[in-house]
mmCIF file of all heavy atoms in Angstrom:
data_model
loop_
_atom_site.group_PDB
_atom_site.id
_atom_site.type_symbol
_atom_site.label_atom_id
_atom_site.label_comp_id
_atom_site.label_asym_id
_atom_site.label_seq_id
_atom_site.Cartn_x
_atom_site.Cartn_y
_atom_site.Cartn_z
ATOM 1 N N CYS A 356 16.119 -5.079 14.801
ATOM 2 C CA CYS A 356 14.811 -4.732 15.381
ATOM 3 C C CYS A 356 13.801 -5.809 15.010
ATOM 4 O O CYS A 356 13.635 -6.133 13.836
ATOM 5 C CB CYS A 356 14.348 -3.374 14.852
ATOM 6 S SG CYS A 356 12.679 -2.939 15.374
ATOM 7 N N HIS A 358 10.711 -5.487 15.223
ATOM 8 C CA HIS A 358 9.485 -4.879 14.710
ATOM 9 C C HIS A 358 9.619 -4.478 13.248
ATOM 10 O O HIS A 358 8.752 -4.770 12.439
ATOM 11 C CB HIS A 358 9.117 -3.671 15.571
ATOM 12 C CG HIS A 358 7.859 -3.002 15.141
ATOM 13 N ND1 HIS A 358 7.821 -1.750 14.565
ATOM 14 C CD2 HIS A 358 6.577 -3.432 15.166
ATOM 15 C CE1 HIS A 358 6.583 -1.448 14.269
ATOM 16 N NE2 HIS A 358 5.806 -2.438 14.625
ATOM 17 N N CYS A 359 10.758 -3.806 12.883
ATOM 18 C CA CYS A 359 10.864 -3.292 11.504
ATOM 19 C C CYS A 359 12.042 -3.898 10.734
ATOM 20 O O CYS A 359 12.177 -3.638 9.542
ATOM 21 C CB CYS A 359 10.973 -1.771 11.508
ATOM 22 S SG CYS A 359 12.575 -1.145 12.049
ATOM 23 N N GLY A 360 12.882 -4.684 11.408
ATOM 24 C CA GLY A 360 13.994 -5.321 10.698
ATOM 25 C C GLY A 360 15.253 -4.482 10.628
ATOM 26 O O GLY A 360 16.264 -4.910 10.054
ATOM 27 N N PHE A 361 15.236 -3.274 11.211
ATOM 28 C CA PHE A 361 16.420 -2.388 11.198
ATOM 29 C C PHE A 361 17.623 -3.115 11.810
ATOM 30 O O PHE A 361 17.521 -3.752 12.846
ATOM 31 C CB PHE A 361 16.094 -1.121 11.999
ATOM 32 C CG PHE A 361 17.230 -0.137 12.097
ATOM 33 C CD1 PHE A 361 17.492 0.750 11.069
ATOM 34 C CD2 PHE A 361 18.042 -0.099 13.223
ATOM 35 C CE1 PHE A 361 18.538 1.660 11.162
ATOM 36 C CE2 PHE A 361 19.083 0.806 13.331
ATOM 37 C CZ PHE A 361 19.329 1.684 12.295
ATOM 38 N N CYS A 370 14.341 1.844 18.824
ATOM 39 C CA CYS A 370 14.778 1.620 17.443
ATOM 40 C C CYS A 370 14.891 2.967 16.716
ATOM 41 O O CYS A 370 13.920 3.723 16.681
ATOM 42 C CB CYS A 370 13.782 0.709 16.717
ATOM 43 S SG CYS A 370 14.171 0.526 14.969
ATOM 44 N N SER A 372 14.815 3.492 13.695
ATOM 45 C CA SER A 372 13.984 3.508 12.494
ATOM 46 C C SER A 372 12.490 3.595 12.834
ATOM 47 O O SER A 372 11.825 4.544 12.458
ATOM 48 C CB SER A 372 14.273 2.262 11.662
ATOM 49 O OG SER A 372 13.430 2.226 10.550
ATOM 50 N N CYS A 373 11.967 2.599 13.562
ATOM 51 C CA CYS A 373 10.510 2.576 13.804
ATOM 52 C C CYS A 373 10.120 3.189 15.137
ATOM 53 O O CYS A 373 8.935 3.320 15.422
ATOM 54 C CB CYS A 373 9.965 1.147 13.699
ATOM 55 S SG CYS A 373 10.491 0.067 15.059
ATOM 56 N N SER A 378 12.695 -3.191 21.066
ATOM 57 C CA SER A 378 12.492 -4.145 19.974
ATOM 58 C C SER A 378 13.817 -4.564 19.322
ATOM 59 O O SER A 378 13.846 -5.526 18.555
ATOM 60 C CB SER A 378 11.549 -3.561 18.915
ATOM 61 O OG SER A 378 12.064 -2.333 18.442
HETATM 62 ZN ZN1 ZN B 1 12.458 -0.907 14.380
#
Side-chain angles (χ1 to χ4, degrees):
C356 174
H358 181 249
C359 74
F361 179 82
C370 174
S372 177
C373 70
S378 56

